[in-house]
Amino acid sequence: MTIDIQPSGQACGASVRGVDLRSLDDDTTAAIRSAWLEHKVLAFPDQSLSDDDLEAFTLRFGPFGDDPFFASIDGHPHIAAIRRTADETSSLFAENWHADWSFQEFPPDGTCLYSKVIPPVGGDTLYTNQQAALEAMPTDLRARIEGLRAVHSARGGYAPDGAYGDDDDGRSMQIRPSADAYATQIHPLIRTHPETGAETLYSTIGYIIGIDGMDDDEARELLGELYQWQIRDEFQYRHVWEPDMLVMWDNRCALHRATGGYEGHERLLHRTTIGFNAAVRAA
Ligand code: SIN
């Protein structure tokens, strides 16, 4: 089988055909990893995956990540259902740009999302290439963020008083808000990707609540300016879903966000997290 990789023509993203994700050998896994590092977001159309297959695929790229604040689906502790019913009126899940779980000490390398029910319109996922955003950044903005460390927290979303907190009625997704979300973690704003060696911006104000050692007002202004740069159109890729499609993305160098526009239709995807992989860092 020849693996066929077609770049999206946008700032990142590629679709991959000619491979059955249920039966990967080591060479094909290595080819997929290399394409993933190059394109940051890979979409595999026409894959017929059970939940066991999805877990097995994930484990080919690293350990499972630790998913706080989500309940898992029955019988699969590492799979969460990203679900929205046709008549749901709760706020859209994951609508703000973010890198998954960046508030952890060892944030996950990647995420896999497998589509089960896709609405006929809307529900695209947007990505933005943060290596490209850093490469193209004006020197004066870069000089202002160089060496800074950001304070990350899940509180805006997952604390009891957060966006998905205790008052968020009628959500079909099994989110579990917790006071643990108030914890903070510090990571540099500019990091070196552990596998490609490329410098990249890491995360954004979805989870970044301040800058270590900087006054809050000053930090908010700088982060707002940085955010406007991070999400510019020229760094983006719009992913349009089809049923039975697996997408994997690299949280170390890409941000993502969900979009709406499918009111009156159901949307359901199963998600796994590719955890922090110490082995690729030691290699
Ligand atoms: C996510 O961020 O995990 C979900 C993205 C989406 O629903 O499009």
Side-chain angles (χ1 to χ4, degrees):
M1 218 178 237
T2 313
I3 179 164
D4 172 26
I5 300 166
Q6 293 295 329
S8 70
Q10 301 174 44
C12 57
S15 66
V16 185
R17 290 186 165 77
V19 61
D20 182 344
L21 299 184
R22 294 171 300 188
S23 53
L24 290 182
D25 57 26
D26 289 348
D27 286 349
T28 313
T29 303
I32 292 173
R33 177 177 283 283
S34 151
W36 182 47
L37 295 177
E38 180 179 355
H39 299 289
K40 298 163 180 52
V41 185
L42 294 182
F44 302 83
D46 302 325
Q47 298 289 334
S48 179
L49 302 184
S50 66
D51 290 323
D52 285 342
D53 295 330
L54 175 59
E55 287 176 333
F57 175 83
T58 306
L59 286 174
R60 282 212 155 254
F61 294 91
F64 287 125
D66 168 29
D67 290 323
F69 315 124
F70 283 170
S72 56
I73 62 169
D74 286 349
H76 293 275
H78 300 290
I79 297 182
I82 308 295
R83 176 194 299 277
R84 193 171 177 85
T85 56
D87 57 358
E88 192 157 336
T89 54
S90 63
S91 59
L92 200 68
F93 173 69
E95 200 179 10
N96 290 329
W97 288 105
H98 63 286
D100 285 329
W101 304 156
S102 73
F103 49 82
Q104 294 182 331
E105 182 178 4
F106 298 105
D109 289 353
T111 303
C112 300
L113 203 51
Y114 177 65
S115 55
K116 298 183 83 72
V117 180
I118 290 301
V121 288
D124 301 343
T125 305
L126 303 183
Y127 295 89
T128 171
N129 179 342
Q130 294 301 285
Q131 182 183 326
L134 183 62
E135 278 165 7
M137 183 174 276
T139 47
D140 57 338
L141 180 55
R142 175 153 183 160
R144 288 165 61 208
I145 64 166
E146 197 82 55
L148 296 182
R149 301 188 315 154
V151 182
H152 298 239
S153 168
R155 65 185 59 172
Y158 298 99
D161 57 354
Y164 315 127
D166 293 338
D167 293 340
D168 193 29
D169 290 339
R171 184 178 294 284
S172 58
M173 240 185 97
Q174 299 296 301
I175 294 181
R176 300 283 181 267
S178 158
D180 292 349
Y182 293 114
T184 58
Q185 185 66 52
I186 287 173
H187 298 293
L189 273 175
I190 299 175
R191 301 196 315 179
T192 300
H193 190 292
E195 292 187 75
T196 65
E199 284 189 312
T200 174
L201 293 166
Y202 182 59
S203 195
T204 190
I205 44 180
Y207 287 132
I208 293 178
I209 59 166
I211 293 179
D212 190 32
M214 188 181 279
D215 163 84
D216 279 350
D217 288 341
E218 194 187 342
R220 208 171 298 115
E221 193 180 321
L222 180 56
L223 289 169
E225 204 176 317
L226 176 60
Y227 174 73
Q228 293 308 325
W229 182 262
Q230 289 179 284
I231 63 163
R232 285 167 75 104
D233 286 350
E234 64 260 39
F235 308 132
Q236 287 190 32
Y237 160 60
R238 174 177 287 268
H239 176 71
V240 181
W241 288 94
E242 296 163 12
D244 300 324
M245 183 182 257
L246 182 124
V247 171
M248 66 188 298
W249 65 81
D250 188 337
N251 284 307
R252 298 164 292 186
C253 54
L255 305 174
H256 65 282
R257 61 170 286 236
T259 68
Y262 55 95
E263 294 73 18
H265 300 282
E266 187 189 358
R267 185 173 184 267
L268 173 65
L269 305 99
H270 279 186
R271 171 175 142 158
T272 55
T273 305
I274 305 171
F276 181 94
N277 191 344
V280 296
R281 286 157 172 91

